[in-house]
Amino acid sequence: MKTLSLDEARTLCERAAMAAGSSPKTASSLAKAMVAAGADGQASVGLAHFIDYLEDLRTGRIDGQAVPEITRLAPAIVTSDARGGAAHPGFDLAFDELVSAATVCGVAIFSQKNSYTCGSLGYFTGRLAEAGFVSLATTNGPPIVAGSGGTKAVYCTNPMSFAAPQAGGPPLLIDQSSSATAFVNVRKAAQDGQPIPAGWALDSEGNPTTDANEAMKGVLLAFGGARGANIALMVEVLSAGLSGANWSVDAPPFGSGAEGPGTGMFVLAIDPRVFGPGFEERMHAQIERLGGDYGVHIPGLAKAEARRKSAEQGISVPEEVYQRIAEWPGVSS
């Protein structure tokens, strides 16, 4: 394993992204998001996933030079056309305007189209929660998940994330896919020659499988059967329907060709102060009660603790992952 400080990791990723064809601003946005995921303990969408971004910058599936077009369609609606670039620069550019709109109107929406997939969706809601807002985010991507009753891929893993601030502690942060698991987990199992649990996937013939390699040829399943598939459809409408992005079934596939997925994103920010004082204190008391008196797992606390340790000790990544980023053509020049 290779241990890097957070600053070292961000600098490394920025240099690699620019070497792969990214502008400095896009490189900075990507580096911050990927390192943040790694610092939160989300290795599968951290630096290991950053290699996918480098590959797709190189092939043009991500336009590293794209400049998002930010538009204020209404007092509480901020939109971004990512123009084939990464998902993060548009949100970065719109963040202050989104916060301002939510503060003035009580609620605000960020909607984006024509972007690459965003990695950890909790990165976006978490930033809003740290600024004092309750937030909900959804996104879609290329089809790898079967719809309710079907065996063909019609949705991406279509995640949703929810975050809420609390006084005296890190935000509540929920980040989960509509599928039974994330695609990167199945891919890693296939690479490692490991089986996957029943209920995660179907093979190319539409049969249930625990063979990760067969799952890679088939489709993933939604969690909870029809209920999870319905949530995937809801995510699809918010992310692609409203924004005008590609529906998942129309998005170019991962890792092939020269065209990006044209993904959509939906982010809702709510200012709890509009409803009266004391929201963050009430959240803190409820989180303490649920976690302490009832033994409930509170999503987001473990990520916050991992982030605290990463700030002090750095993040550790497999030597192979570090070498692939550090030795990307042009990084050392």
Side-chain angles (χ1 to χ4, degrees):
M1 300 291 285
K2 177 77 172 181
T3 300
L4 302 168
S5 72
L6 298 186
D7 284 342
E8 288 172 336
R10 282 189 288 264
T11 298
L12 174 68
C13 289
E14 286 178 4
R15 293 176 62 191
M18 286 188 286
S22 168
S23 70
K25 286 186 177 180
T26 293
S28 177
S29 288
L30 286 175
K32 288 176 182 177
M34 297 298 108
V35 173
D40 284 356
Q42 296 179 284
S44 62
V45 286
L47 269 64
H49 186 40
F50 180 66
I51 294 171
D52 295 327
Y53 285 78
L54 294 178
E55 291 286 356
D56 287 351
L57 282 165
R58 179 182 61 82
T59 62
R61 289 189 286 269
I62 303 174
D63 183 350
Q65 300 298 317
V67 178
E69 180 182 355
I70 307 300
T71 306
R72 190 78 167 262
L73 293 183
I77 298 178
V78 183
T79 65
S80 169
D81 183 343
R83 294 179 169 178
H88 307 82
F91 186 77
D92 287 347
L93 282 172
F95 186 81
D96 289 343
E97 195 167 349
L98 179 65
V99 165
S100 175
T103 302
V104 171
C105 301
V107 297
I109 290 170
F110 170 79
S111 179
Q112 182 166 255
K113 64 181 179 180
N114 296 334
S115 81
Y116 189 75
T117 53
C118 70
S120 172
L121 190 59
Y123 175 73
F124 302 90
T125 54
R127 286 176 61 183
L128 285 167
E130 293 287 355
F133 296 90
V134 176
S135 56
L136 172 73
T138 67
T139 189
N140 75 316
I144 54 177
V145 176
S148 179
T151 59
K152 293 183 178 179
V154 294
Y155 308 129
C156 194
T157 56
N158 283 18
M160 62 169 52
S161 179
F162 176 86
Q166 65 157 324
L172 167 72
L173 178 57
I174 300 168
D175 185 359
Q176 61 189 52
S177 62
S178 300
S179 56
T181 191
F183 169 75
V184 290
N185 294 333
V186 176
R187 183 177 65 180
K188 187 174 189 309
Q191 292 170 343
D192 295 345
Q194 297 295 319
I196 58 174
W200 276 16
L202 304 177
D203 65 18
S204 59
E205 301 297 322
N207 301 310
T209 184
T210 58
D211 185 320
N213 286 294
E214 291 302 315
M216 292 290 290
K217 301 173 188 175
V219 295
L220 301 187
L221 293 172
F223 76 87
R227 287 185 173 90
N230 289 342
I231 290 175
L233 180 54
M234 290 164 54
V235 167
E236 189 90 356
V237 173
L238 291 172
S239 306
L242 290 177
S243 68
N246 280 335
W247 299 104
S248 290
V249 74
D250 297 321
F254 286 114
S256 63
E259 188 177 358
T263 274
M265 179 186 288
F266 170 90
V267 181
L268 172 67
I270 304 170
D271 188 349
R273 291 163 291 196
V274 171
F275 298 86
F279 172 81
E280 294 192 20
E281 288 74 19
R282 292 186 72 231
M283 278 296 301
H284 178 73
Q286 179 67 348
I287 286 173
E288 288 286 297
R289 178 167 64 165
L290 291 177
D293 297 345
Y294 295 92
V296 174
H297 169 70
I298 307 299
L301 302 190
K303 288 185 176 70
E305 177 61 16
R307 194 180 314 131
R308 184 191 66 79
K309 290 182 178 178
S310 296
E312 295 175 355
Q313 304 170 11
I315 57 175
S316 294
V317 297
E319 186 69 30
E320 178 186 0
V321 170
Y322 170 76
Q323 292 297 335
R324 287 197 63 185
I325 298 172
E327 295 175 3
W328 195 266
V331 168
S332 59
S333 61

